[in-house]
Amino acid sequence: MTTKKMAIIATKGTLDMAYPPFILASTAAALGYEVQIFFTFYGLQLLRKDLSDVMISPLANPAMPMPIPMPVMVQMLPGMESMATMMMKQKLKKHGVASLTELRDLCLEADVKFIACQMTVDLFEFDKSEFIENVEYGGATMFMGFAGDTDVCLFI
Amino acid sequence: MNFDKEFDASGLNCPLPIIKTKKSLTDMESGKVLKVIATDCGAVKDMQAFADQTGNKLLASTEEGGKYIFFMQKK
């Protein structure tokens, strides 16, 4: 049986959008898939050693369930982002959902390959020393070499 | 049912029960049986799907007092 392959392009760096790539990648790896994630644009934030700055904002997230209806004018107030992030993290913990760091570690443990988009690293002048070590740097062409031969390819 | 190893995934949510089940199976010999206890109701379908896709055999899947019990035989 040939090994199935999955490629994910992770482009978002918010708490809500950080979960799907890591959940799908770790699950696929557990099912025996060979997995690569290409982190580009804001997705690069998910490669930082410290993920505590990954936040969620109620602003421009109209489908986010809120404890009470909250007008956009209120969502703009200082501290709302931190509060929403704190509440989301509490909720995740309460429901036994792994932390981002835990899921990312599970991916690495299962040999999921992380590729950081070199162009975006340069564009945003990211400091590579702030990223975890198990990252390869490459471009779209390098990623397509793998993605072109996959069974599942997702843009998140 | 007899089993060789037990893993309690109570309180863990998707995808942890599956990932940790897979990890528990890693150091087991072929034919040995792993008992998994979970509280995530999504695990019922996920365990079957895991078995179907990996070739490990789901010998039994039951519910007892709000807990889901699985017996997975390693391929």
Side-chain angles (χ1 to χ4, degrees):
Chain A
M1 198 175 83
T2 54
T3 306
K4 287 198 171 190
K5 294 179 185 174
M6 176 165 84
I8 297 175
I9 303 148
T11 64
K12 303 285 194 292
T14 53
L15 185 60
D16 50 341
M17 296 304 281
Y19 269 92
F22 288 137
I23 289 179
L24 291 166
S26 55
T27 304
L31 292 170
Y33 280 68
E34 184 186 341
V35 186
Q36 288 194 10
I37 310 179
F38 185 70
F39 296 87
T40 184
F41 278 77
Y42 315 125
L44 284 172
Q45 305 282 13
L46 308 181
L47 293 174
R48 287 185 185 281
K49 285 174 187 155
D50 179 10
L51 291 177
S52 59
D53 287 340
V54 174
M55 309 258 264
I56 183 167
S57 173
L59 204 60
N61 243 340
M64 185 177 161
M66 299 293 276
I68 44 165
M70 200 168 284
V72 169
M73 284 295 281
V74 178
Q75 293 174 15
M76 293 169 59
L77 296 174
M80 286 307 295
E81 201 172 78
S82 304
M83 197 177 81
T85 302
M86 194 185 73
M87 286 171 70
M88 178 68 107
K89 283 185 178 171
Q90 280 173 354
K91 206 181 246 306
L92 290 162
K93 203 169 178 181
K94 188 179 144 207
H95 289 271
V97 179
S99 69
L100 281 182
T101 310
E102 191 180 352
L103 280 173
R104 186 174 69 182
D105 287 346
L106 287 167
C107 286
L108 289 171
E109 213 177 293
D111 292 328
V112 172
K113 194 163 158 186
F114 291 167
I115 300 165
C117 170
Q118 181 67 56
M119 182 275 280
T120 345
V121 169
D122 296 341
L123 180 67
F124 295 124
E125 295 172 3
F126 277 117
D127 182 353
K128 285 184 184 175
S129 68
E130 286 181 16
F131 289 156
I132 52 172
E133 275 148 30
N134 319 52
V135 176
E136 207 170 303
Y137 294 84
T141 310
M142 171 190 163
F143 176 70
M144 287 310 295
F146 177 80
D149 194 27
T150 53
D151 301 275
V152 182
C153 189
L154 304 170
F155 181 89
I156 301 176
Chain B
M1 188 177 292
N2 292 331
F3 55 93
D4 305 287
K5 189 176 172 183
E6 184 176 317
F7 161 57
D8 190 351
S10 295
L12 300 181
N13 214 324
C14 172
L16 293 179
I18 291 297
I19 292 172
K20 300 205 166 174
T21 294
K22 149 82 178 159
K23 276 170 92 171
S24 296
L25 284 168
T26 306
D27 59 1
M28 289 173 68
E29 286 171 33
S30 177
K32 297 283 183 193
V33 176
L34 174 71
K35 177 182 178 183
V36 182
I37 304 163
T39 48
D40 167 23
C41 65
V44 176
K45 285 190 173 161
D46 280 351
M47 282 291 174
Q48 184 61 59
F50 174 79
D52 292 344
Q53 291 176 70
T54 56
N56 297 296
K57 199 171 172 189
L58 186 61
L59 300 176
S61 168
T62 55
E63 191 198 338
E64 281 173 32
K67 297 221 171 192
Y68 303 94
I69 319 282
F70 307 95
F71 292 91
M72 187 78 74
Q73 186 175 37
K74 172 136 182 193
K75 182 171 69 167

